[in-house]
Amino acid sequence: MADKTPKSSRNGAGDPIDFGGPVCPVPLQDYPNVILGHGGGGKLSAELVEHVFLPAFKNDHLDVLRDSAVIQLTGQRLAMSTDSYVVRPLFFPGGSIGDLAINGTVNDLAMSGAKPLYLSAAFIIEEGFPIAELKRIADAMGAAARHAGVTVITGDTKVVEQGHGDGCYINTAGVGVVPDGIDIAPNNARPGDVVIVSGTLGDHGMAIMSVREGLEFDAKIQSDSAPLADMVAAITEVCPDVHVLRDPTRGGLAASLNEIAASSDCGIVIEETRLPIHPIVQSACEILGFDPLLVANEGKLVCMVPAAFAGAVLNAIQADKHGSNAAIIGHVVAEHPGVVVAKTVIGASRVVVTAIGEQLPRIC
């Protein structure tokens, strides 16, 4: 019988070492799938970081591989945010859970007027998940981070037993710097403010739903997943007195407007005829019985600014590559505080309510 002991396990005298049990695991590249050992904090974990995550996020901070990242501060105001992503399916038209996890936290930071700078990335991976798909996700995250101008500087990996997860979950957290003089918050809406949305509504939710239901349309519905920090910087440049910014993700525009109306103790009136909705998304919503106002977006924002700045802000948004379909959709009023009202196509009015639960679970 041939000697199967690895050469590296021989002692200095050239005699094979008796391990008395299983020998060392094979290198990472010999594992086509994630195993529990990849989350054990040992060599396999290190190899997963070395071969999958480090190449995707390459930077000086992450290369140090400390338990936490140390950032030099200069007394500026910082914004920090975190979110977890459990979208199903992991890959969908226009994006994946990877770029969604980056763009989502970038946008959460941008909605306070901050310039996003640094992110963390934590993975919860189910045993048996293909390494090739994990690398595809990591590569998408790396590309999205570079596109958004942020750096992933720390992270974590856990592996759960097969059947105790759903492939891959991701958590990202981020910090950014808020420029002096910027004060943007949901409770800052004032009567007379103009309400602007940056583009078509419901694209992300319907892209996910079309995949789940196997629906096909004349043109494929694409997710709108995108970073919005550059757009926010352009808005604050032409209007330093921006009152409210919000990205209408889960719960859609309806949830965001109702939260703003409640926290500002103001009413909001929108015009249904002004709502930018892609015709295919509109058709999909009608087929499935969804209200586009309640469907999630992942690359849109709603802002409220003094009327005197409305034109300049709209032009700034439309000049951004993600804002060509921006539109003024309504205004803030002193009447019916806490209530959002939509003027319908036939001239009637209806109250826009927030959905009791999520229309679509696992949407982001």
Side-chain angles (χ1 to χ4, degrees):
M1 179 180 293
D3 181 5
K4 296 183 179 179
T5 306
K7 292 185 182 300
S8 59
S9 65
R10 293 179 182 275
N11 61 21
D15 298 323
I17 298 174
D18 181 10
F19 288 96
V23 297
C24 294
V26 297
L28 172 72
Q29 53 266 30
D30 291 335
Y31 285 96
N33 301 318
V34 170
I35 63 172
L36 282 174
H38 284 126
K43 185 175 177 60
L44 285 178
S45 296
E47 289 187 351
L48 198 66
V49 171
E50 179 183 356
H51 295 292
V52 176
F53 299 130
L54 281 181
F57 304 138
K58 186 72 176 172
N59 62 75
D60 293 339
H61 291 284
L62 196 58
D63 287 348
V64 179
L65 294 178
R66 289 187 290 223
D67 285 343
S68 62
V70 179
I71 305 170
Q72 188 69 38
L73 301 179
T74 57
Q76 294 175 297
R77 287 189 297 160
L78 299 181
M80 180 176 180
S81 181
T82 186
D83 205 344
S84 296
Y85 300 86
V86 297
V87 64
R88 178 176 58 84
L90 298 175
F91 303 93
F92 47 82
S96 70
I97 189 173
D99 49 74
L100 196 66
I102 296 293
N103 293 336
T105 294
V106 164
N107 292 344
D108 285 342
L109 293 169
M111 292 308 113
S112 64
K115 175 179 173 54
L117 295 175
Y118 300 102
L119 267 61
S120 69
F123 299 81
I124 299 176
I125 310 165
E126 183 178 4
E127 179 186 19
F129 190 70
I131 292 286
E133 289 197 17
L134 183 61
K135 188 173 191 316
R136 185 179 167 195
I137 290 170
D139 287 343
M141 294 180 71
R146 289 187 288 274
H147 182 214
V150 297
T151 309
V152 178
I153 58 173
T154 185
D156 181 47
T157 302
K158 296 290 189 298
V159 176
V160 297
E161 297 90 342
Q162 199 163 47
H164 291 260
D166 196 6
C168 179
Y169 302 142
I170 301 174
N171 171 273
T172 51
V175 294
V177 175
V178 183
D180 291 339
I182 297 295
D183 180 20
I184 300 172
N187 62 351
N188 281 350
R190 298 289 182 268
D193 283 356
V194 171
V195 181
I196 303 174
V197 292
S198 64
T200 52
L201 301 169
D203 296 5
H204 176 72
M206 283 301 100
I208 297 293
M209 198 62 188
S210 65
V211 174
R212 289 185 189 173
E213 297 299 317
L215 300 177
E216 294 186 1
F217 302 93
D218 292 339
K220 184 173 290 185
I221 300 176
Q222 299 277 332
S223 168
D224 60 347
S225 175
L228 299 175
D230 289 346
M231 182 188 294
V232 170
I235 292 172
T236 55
E237 183 175 349
V238 299
C239 178
D241 191 25
V242 176
H243 290 167
V244 179
L245 286 172
R246 198 66 179 264
D247 56 337
T249 54
R250 286 179 299 174
L253 182 65
S256 294
L257 293 181
N258 274 286
E259 290 170 6
I260 294 166
S263 59
S264 297
D265 200 26
C266 294
I268 296 175
V269 177
I270 59 174
E271 305 280 346
E272 285 191 342
T273 55
R274 295 186 179 184
L275 295 175
I277 301 173
H278 195 288
I280 299 175
V281 171
Q282 181 70 54
S283 298
C285 286
E286 292 173 355
I287 292 171
L288 298 169
F290 291 130
D291 182 345
L293 288 176
L294 302 178
V295 179
N297 314 272
E298 291 294 341
K300 302 291 167 27
L301 61 78
V302 56
C303 67
M304 298 178 186
V305 299
F309 294 95
V313 170
L314 181 63
N315 291 336
I317 296 175
Q318 290 176 333
D320 187 278
K321 60 183 176 182
H322 301 301
S324 59
N325 294 307
I328 296 174
I329 63 168
H331 56 283
V332 180
V333 298
E335 296 79 21
H336 50 77
V339 177
V340 180
V341 173
K343 299 292 186 182
T344 68
V345 176
I346 61 173
S349 298
R350 70 177 177 94
V351 174
V352 178
V353 298
T354 302
I356 295 175
E358 283 187 272
Q359 281 199 124
L360 304 173
R362 307 282 301 280
I363 203 73
C364 62

